Amino acid sequence: MAEFLMLSLVPLLVASLCSLSCALLGNFLVLRRQALIGDAISHVALPGIVASFLLTGTLAPPAMLLGAGVAALITLALIELIQRLGRVDASAAMGVAFTALFALGVLMLEWSGASGVHLDVEHALYGNLESLVWFEGNRLAALWDPQALAGLPPQLARVAWVTLLVGLFVMLAWRPLVLGSFDAGFAASLGARPGLTQGLLVVMVAVAAIAAFEAVGSILVIAMFICPPAAARLMTDRLSRQLAWSLVFALLSAILGVILAGHGPGWLGIDAGLSAAGMISVVAGLILLLACRFGPRRRRIAPPLA
Amino acid sequence: MMEAWLAALTFSAGYNTRLVTLGSLLLGAAAGMVGSHVLLRKRALISDAVSHATLPGLAAAFILIALMQGDGRWLPGLLLGAAASAALGLVAVQAMSRHTRLGEDSAIGAVLSVFFGLGVVLLTVIQAMPVGGQAGLSGYLVGATAGMLASEAWLIGGMALGLLVALIILHRPLLLLCFDPEHAWTQGVHLQRADAWLLGLLLAVTVVGLRITGLILIVALTIIPPVTARFWTDRPHALVMIAAATGALAGYLGVTLSSVHPRLPTGALVVLAAFVLFLVSLLAAPRRGLLARLIDRYRFVQRVHCRQGLLALARDEAIFDPTTLRILHRLGHIRRDGLATAQGRAAARDAHHEERLWTYYRHAYPEEAARLGTHRLDPISRLLPPDLIDELERRLPPEKPHE
């Protein structure tokens, strides 16, 4: 029990909360066919965080959030610029913007890597769930001991706040979000401000990506945005049910992923741990695969567009 | 540091560096070419899925090779593994976007992250294995030409050259496919098969580029050069050529720069070199670059002000806009106090007459005028044939007196 509380509880909670907030937002991304915005934002979180670290010398959350937020804004502006001026399609513009910024991030990371403080390419890419140890959680009573609770890794509180924020956003902006996802023109005619909603959605995606970044790294967070909602999409036609399915799938991926990564090798008799973040995306992918194969609403009604 | 870079640039920094530079030049050209075709088919980000899907195959191959010979670093085996899993990823993307109601963007994102996740899991398996060569694997993520063996450089250079040749041969069918599938079909070029060939070539370029730019950044080399080339030309042939040249230049600059210091990541520098070329094109390309457009816009605004000012002069209306006054004065049409000069009066008469002709043309031939789509700023004699102008002049209604 003590081992579970110390080593597994916090990663489970952090992974679950991250996956819930990402899945919630990911529903709208999948509906709007903007899944790759999540890809772009997740990639540029890295240079943003590295830049803020180099400028402020600290890894404090506000600095990281600001850095990644600024990077996201720069990326979006760059994408718009490239699309308008270059007259290429959105995905190409995205590709140029986020790969260049990511390369800049890698360069900054490697070149300043001599400092070696807590930030290195591997962790930025794969996340660091395994390091979220609750040293004070050595007995069951620690769960309601304020002093022990104060020793919880700060990532947990951060991720909890972000999940709350995301939940609030989805609740408050529900109508504009839903309308804008299906018919932007109609939404505009009703005064639902699709442009503003889109902007806010992207900002929330950036916030959720940054919070999840620490847990699962910048590339695996994409799995959290896309796989559970995509699987849910294939299960039902109704948006509320889709949201519910996506949260279930997200929770399942997170919990199974963390458990399999931490204890799976032990069950096979090997004394090692696997990457929790990687496992989470693998489980999410398996769920998606099952949904693609057996989901009740997986069929396309019309033939695919070219 | 500059001397070291110059030495690398002029191919005089050692045998290995020379080989790698040449290989990356060829790779950049191949990536630019294949990327242009993918861009023209509007599937630019599928290369992201392909590149990230190489990781599990890479790791699995490493494990197999390490189990067989203790050290997992055997380039041909690793590249084969990478190609296999990338092919699987491609199949998954196609299957998902064709047979379910998910869009291609969701398919790409899902395959990208899930395959990469599987690869990460396998990487942690490798970490737990008592085998050698693990540190070298991270070079496949962000590119590391520093520790490359000569044999590896030969392999990569050779494959890049082969790809380049294949792309040059398939160049015309691929373009035909993109712009006129029916004609391509009559020429015996099957759409789906050619699509598969294109994606296969993309896969090959990705796998070859793994060692040089790393899998996370190879996608940049297939996207940035074509987008850069887009600023210079509207023609597809030229697009492919310029993209190849840009890609080659980016590979050349990036690899030579990273050879100067072992801590400089190759992939990042290649991509940043490509991005610099892109920025330069964005700003300075003629006609489509930012500067060219700003100049064009400036000139257009000037002409509108001039024309409107002259029309106002012709109708004896007062001009209040300071910009118009300034422009007319600069061109010599008005004096400092706003009074028209003789030259200005003549120009105003011409402008007024042109305006009447254009207006009458729009009235008499509305569809043709709409198709012409001009702003009426251009002289009518330059856009319409003389006999039509004669006819318009004859039929021009008499001028109504101004109120």
Side-chain angles (χ1 to χ4, degrees):
Chain A
M1 176 44 76
E3 197 187 291
F4 174 77
L5 284 179
M6 255 202 284
L7 298 175
S8 307
L9 181 66
V10 178
L12 270 174
L13 285 174
V14 168
S16 307
L17 288 168
C18 284
S19 63
L20 287 175
S21 56
C22 291
L24 211 51
L25 293 171
N27 274 293
F28 297 102
L29 289 179
V30 167
L31 280 173
R32 289 163 184 240
R33 315 242 153 178
Q34 288 173 347
L36 293 171
I37 288 261
D39 189 7
I41 305 250
S42 320
H43 277 87
V44 305
L46 176 74
I49 291 178
V50 175
S52 88
F53 174 68
L54 289 176
L55 285 173
T56 65
T58 156
L59 276 177
M64 279 210 317
L65 211 68
L66 197 62
V70 168
L73 285 173
I74 294 178
T75 314
L76 291 169
L78 202 57
I79 292 173
E80 267 303 307
L81 189 70
I82 299 173
Q83 237 187 308
R84 294 259 172 99
L85 285 179
R87 308 248 203 102
V88 290
D89 59 308
S91 64
M94 264 193 263
V96 175
F98 80 72
T99 52
L101 282 174
F102 193 82
L104 190 63
V106 170
L107 182 64
M108 288 193 292
L109 202 54
E110 296 279 336
W111 188 240
S112 72
S115 53
V117 180
H118 190 42
L119 198 67
D120 59 282
V121 187
E122 264 89 38
H123 283 157
L125 292 174
Y126 317 145
N128 215 352
L129 269 177
E130 299 84 349
S131 74
L132 298 173
V133 177
W134 185 25
F135 292 105
E136 285 81 359
N138 43 23
R139 61 203 191 287
L140 190 58
L143 280 174
W144 39 86
D145 176 12
Q147 228 179 356
L149 287 173
L152 281 168
Q155 285 89 341
L156 182 59
R158 274 206 289 272
V159 155
W161 276 115
V162 167
T163 311
L164 199 65
L165 200 64
V166 167
L168 266 168
F169 168 69
V170 171
M171 265 198 312
L172 292 174
W174 177 255
R175 273 194 81 228
L177 270 176
V178 174
L179 280 172
S181 306
F182 291 108
D183 192 342
F186 180 55
S189 72
L190 285 180
R193 312 250 271 227
L196 180 64
T197 320
Q198 170 70 13
L200 282 175
L201 178 65
V202 173
V203 165
M204 292 310 294
V205 164
V207 169
I210 295 159
F213 177 83
E214 251 201 300
V216 290
S218 63
I219 299 192
L220 298 167
V221 74
I222 304 171
M224 287 179 153
F225 273 120
I226 299 183
C227 295
R233 178 101 184 83
L234 303 175
M235 301 293 292
T236 174
D237 279 332
R238 304 195 37 193
L239 186 56
S240 47
R241 295 227 183 110
Q242 182 186 315
L243 240 67
W245 273 115
S246 70
L247 293 177
V248 165
F249 288 151
L251 214 57
L252 209 60
S253 318
I255 294 174
L256 278 179
V258 172
I259 292 181
L260 280 173
H263 302 274
W267 296 336
L268 295 172
I270 308 168
D271 180 29
L274 297 173
S275 161
M279 222 24 144
I280 295 176
S281 32
V282 168
V283 174
L286 282 172
I287 295 178
L288 180 59
L289 183 65
L290 288 171
C292 284
R293 195 65 191 77
F294 302 114
R297 292 282 184 275
R298 67 186 179 282
R299 295 226 185 285
R300 215 176 248 294
I301 317 235
L305 308 155
Chain B
M1 195 161 112
M2 268 310 280
E3 299 84 35
W5 190 27
L6 274 169
L9 280 175
T10 52
F11 290 95
S12 42
Y15 182 63
N16 264 17
T17 317
R18 268 205 298 268
L19 265 182
V20 172
T21 311
L22 197 58
S24 62
L25 231 157
L26 294 169
L27 174 76
M33 284 187 85
V34 87
S36 329
H37 292 293
V38 173
L39 180 75
L40 288 171
R41 304 278 290 145
K42 294 205 166 55
R43 306 180 74 183
L45 278 175
I46 202 165
S47 8
D48 212 7
V50 172
S51 62
H52 284 77
T54 55
L55 189 61
L58 203 58
F62 187 93
I63 293 174
L64 278 172
I65 299 170
L67 285 175
M68 285 197 291
Q69 66 169 38
D71 180 329
R73 283 175 304 183
W74 185 52
L75 191 65
L78 290 174
L79 292 187
L80 258 164
S85 67
L88 203 61
L90 258 180
V91 166
V93 171
Q94 304 276 68
M96 241 192 284
S97 43
R98 277 210 196 118
H99 300 298
T100 68
R101 60 185 192 177
L102 295 171
E104 191 178 59
D105 61 323
S106 302
I108 290 176
V111 164
L112 190 158
S113 49
V114 170
F115 273 67
F116 193 76
L118 182 61
V120 168
V121 169
L122 289 174
L123 280 180
T124 49
V125 168
I126 293 175
Q127 269 173 2
M129 283 168 69
V131 292
Q134 294 175 22
L137 261 186
S138 73
Y140 286 87
L141 278 174
V142 290
T145 53
M148 228 158 99
L149 301 169
S151 59
E152 296 177 339
W154 269 114
L155 182 62
I156 291 181
M159 290 202 290
L161 185 63
L163 277 174
L164 207 54
V165 167
L167 278 165
I168 292 174
I169 294 176
L170 290 171
H171 175 62
R172 285 206 75 239
L174 283 175
L175 276 183
L176 200 59
L177 191 69
C178 175
F179 289 105
D180 200 346
E182 281 98 26
H183 182 55
W185 186 71
T186 63
Q187 300 286 73
V189 179
H190 194 208
L191 178 66
Q192 278 201 339
R193 205 180 310 147
D195 224 3
W197 272 107
L198 179 61
L199 289 176
L201 284 168
L202 179 65
L203 195 151
V205 166
T206 306
V207 165
V208 170
L210 279 182
R211 195 74 167 85
I212 296 183
T213 61
L215 65 92
I216 299 184
L217 294 169
I218 183 70
V219 58
L221 211 53
T222 51
I223 298 186
I224 302 184
V227 175
T228 310
R230 193 78 186 82
F231 278 93
W232 292 92
T233 176
D234 284 331
R235 292 161 42 224
H237 279 292
L239 183 84
V240 176
M241 291 304 136
I242 298 179
T246 316
L249 192 58
Y252 175 61
L253 290 172
V255 167
T256 50
L257 199 52
S258 83
S259 68
V260 163
H261 197 291
R263 220 175 44 192
L264 288 171
T266 321
L269 283 169
V270 169
V271 171
L272 286 172
F275 189 64
V276 165
L277 292 171
F278 164 78
L279 277 180
V280 166
S281 305
L282 182 108
L283 289 173
R287 264 201 323 122
R288 278 181 161 235
L290 194 59
L291 281 173
R293 289 212 190 170
L294 287 173
I295 293 174
D296 262 346
R297 174 143 189 87
Y298 174 75
R299 285 211 193 117
F300 177 70
V301 168
Q302 300 277 332
R303 285 169 74 194
V304 170
H305 275 286
C306 177
R307 168 57 70 99
Q308 292 301 101
L310 287 175
L311 287 178
L313 279 181
R315 296 187 207 130
D316 280 326
E317 287 165 1
I319 303 173
F320 297 109
D321 186 73
T323 321
T324 317
L325 288 170
R326 199 172 8 106
I327 292 172
L328 286 177
H329 178 63
R330 192 156 40 86
L331 291 168
H333 294 319
I334 58 174
R335 290 199 326 229
R336 188 65 68 88
D337 57 3
L339 223 61
T341 58
Q343 172 197 324
R345 280 197 296 275
R349 269 198 300 276
D350 284 339
H352 180 67
H353 189 69
E354 288 253 337
E355 182 74 14
R356 287 182 62 212
L357 280 175
W358 276 120
T359 314
Y360 181 64
Y361 177 60
R362 277 227 318 271
H363 171 75
Y365 302 97
E367 287 127 19
E368 288 160 30
R371 238 180 305 131
L372 207 50
T374 173
H375 290 288
R376 286 154 37 224
L377 290 175
D378 304 306
I380 198 167
S381 52
R382 217 191 292 169
L383 286 167
L384 296 180
D387 50 336
L388 181 56
I389 299 178
D390 267 343
E391 185 199 324
L392 288 175
E393 294 269 14
R394 266 185 293 117
R395 287 165 51 180
L396 200 61
E399 197 163 345
K400 289 196 282 285
H402 293 293
E403 294 84 51

